[in-house]
Structure formats: C-alpha cells, structure tokens
Amino acid sequence: MSTNEASSRRRFLSTVVLLGAGSTVAAAPKSKPAEVNATEDLMREHGVIRRTLLVYEEIARRLDLREEKAPVEVLAQATRLMRRFGEAYHEKTEETEVFPRLVKAGQQKELVQVLLEQHAAGRKITESILAATSGRDALTQPQPRAAAARQLNLFIRMYGPHAAREDTDLFPAFRNLFDEKQFNELGERFEEQEHRLLGSDGFENALKEVAQLERALGIHDLARFTPSER
C-alpha cells in the first residue's frame, strides 16, 4: 500500500469514528432540566402577571373607543386571575416569605415599604374593576367605561415598574441571604405552597388562562407586535 493510500485510509477511518461518536451523542437521552429555584419561580410568575397587564392594556384601549363593545367577561376573568394568582398567591408569597427576611436582615427596607403600599393600592383597584364588571348593563355607558379604563391604566402604570424593581433589586438581594442548600429548600417550600393554594398545576393553569384571554382579544399572535418598516 502506498503512502498516499495509507493516509487516505486513516482519514476515512477517522471520519467514520467521529460520525459514530456524533451519532452516539445525539442518541443519548437528554438530562432532566434543573428545578426552578425560588427567585426564578417568582420571576416567571411576573411573566404571567405582565401578560395579564397586556390584556388590561388592550381592554383599556377598547373602553376608550365608543364604537367598541366593552369586553366585560374577558375583563372580569382577567381581573379574577390577577386577584387569585397575582395577589392572593404571588404577592402573598412575597409578603410572607420575601419581605420579612429582607427587613430582618436590614436590607431593602424602603423598597419593601413602597412595594407593600403598591400591593394594597393594586388590590383596591382590582376590587373596583370587579365591581364595575358586575351587573347586566356593566360598562355600557361612557362614564363607567372611562372610569374603568382609567383604573386599568393606573394599575398597568404601577405594576410595570413594581415588577421590574423586584426582578432587578429585590430578588437578587433576597437570593444573597441564603447558601445553596437553604435556597434549594426554600424553592421546594415555594412549590409546596403553590400546589396547596393553586393546585398541582397552578402555574401552568394560570399560563393557559392568560393565553386564552389573549386569544379572546386577538392579541395572542406575538408577531403582530413587531414594528413595521412602513
């Protein structure tokens, strides 16, 4: 066998080995995704809340247009979701598990105080919106429509910065209070609380519900939010 033939054979065998190894890697079972930790859990809950705010935004826009029929049922469902998932579960978790630990550690006291005040303000708006959606002729007259739109916009304006400040300032400070073992245990407790208060698929069900609300309003297609060059 010539030197060139031997070299070609070695290259061929090397290629076969590499392809075989690649096939083995591709066929290997995927590892299980890491569990969601405590702050990641809180932040993805913010995702559901922010998508509910997009629903609020679209409804407020329609309420400002006299020719648009008020989507009363969608608004009522969205507000109930905000109360059940955003306030009774997410905010309650923050108020019982997050805020007290930070205050005890002497951290983020001023921010925590503002966040608590905003939780209370948001709940008042939620009750006001729910009251406005009740009754046979709910949101059929200009004045109640304008008042509801204003309440929705106030809530949106408050909660956007509220959630952003928690994600960037509060939650990182909270994470730093724990070592790895303690933080993992806390994540497990958060998950147990979710199951107890919302059921075994609490987050997933809330996500499905907000997706249904988006579809009911025709804002479910993400591509429609892309700016046009025209």
Side-chain angles (χ1 to χ4, degrees):
M1 181 182 293
S2 67
T3 302
N4 287 339
E5 288 175 335
S7 178
S8 296
R9 180 175 173 79
R10 282 195 298 271
R11 285 197 299 272
F12 172 76
L13 291 173
S14 297
T15 302
V16 170
V17 170
L18 287 172
L19 288 173
S23 299
T24 303
V25 171
K30 294 181 180 179
S31 59
K32 184 180 178 181
E35 295 292 334
V36 176
N37 66 41
T39 50
E40 185 181 356
D41 203 17
L42 291 166
M43 291 172 75
R44 70 174 188 161
E45 289 165 12
H46 275 171
V48 172
I49 292 171
R50 285 188 171 101
R51 287 176 67 170
T52 308
L53 295 183
L54 293 176
V55 171
Y56 276 8
E57 188 177 88
E58 174 63 16
I59 294 174
R61 185 190 70 81
R62 296 188 188 191
L63 288 173
D64 282 334
L65 301 174
R66 289 188 178 182
E67 65 274 16
E68 285 275 359
K69 182 180 178 181
V72 179
E73 289 302 319
V74 177
L75 176 55
Q77 185 180 346
T79 310
R80 288 193 295 267
L81 175 62
M82 183 65 75
R83 183 172 64 178
R84 183 179 70 253
F85 183 83
E87 297 172 350
Y89 170 62
H90 174 80
E91 291 181 359
K92 199 69 175 178
T93 301
E94 292 176 337
E95 292 171 2
T96 58
E97 298 285 352
V98 181
F99 296 171
R101 285 185 169 92
L102 284 166
V103 171
K104 186 177 180 180
Q107 297 186 33
Q108 306 290 327
K109 287 184 177 180
E110 292 183 6
L111 177 57
V112 165
Q113 184 58 41
V114 173
L115 295 172
L116 284 168
E117 291 170 0
Q118 291 183 341
H119 283 183
R123 287 165 190 165
K124 288 181 179 179
I125 292 175
T126 295
E127 290 305 315
S128 175
I129 296 171
L130 283 173
T133 60
S134 64
R136 186 174 181 180
D137 299 321
L139 302 180
T140 56
Q141 300 302 313
Q143 187 174 350
R145 286 171 65 108
R150 179 176 179 275
Q151 292 289 310
L152 289 169
N153 285 321
L154 285 173
F155 194 98
I156 294 165
R157 180 173 173 78
M158 177 187 73
Y159 222 105
H162 177 100
R165 197 63 64 88
E166 288 183 337
D167 288 346
T168 57
D169 292 353
L170 192 87
F171 295 159
F174 178 67
R175 169 65 183 90
N176 289 333
L177 297 178
F178 305 91
D179 60 29
E180 198 64 31
K181 182 176 182 296
Q182 291 171 331
F183 199 58
N184 289 337
E185 291 172 351
L186 184 66
E188 292 174 2
R189 184 157 72 250
F190 277 19
E191 186 173 0
E192 290 171 0
Q193 290 176 350
E194 177 186 322
H195 293 168
R196 185 172 65 254
L197 295 174
L198 300 175
S200 59
D201 297 314
F203 172 80
E204 289 76 11
N205 288 336
L207 191 58
K208 288 177 184 177
E209 188 171 352
V210 76
Q212 291 170 352
L213 293 169
E214 291 168 341
R215 187 169 291 278
L217 294 174
I219 60 170
H220 57 286
D221 183 4
L222 182 62
R224 67 168 287 186
F225 294 97
T226 306
S228 172
E229 293 182 359
R230 290 179 297 174

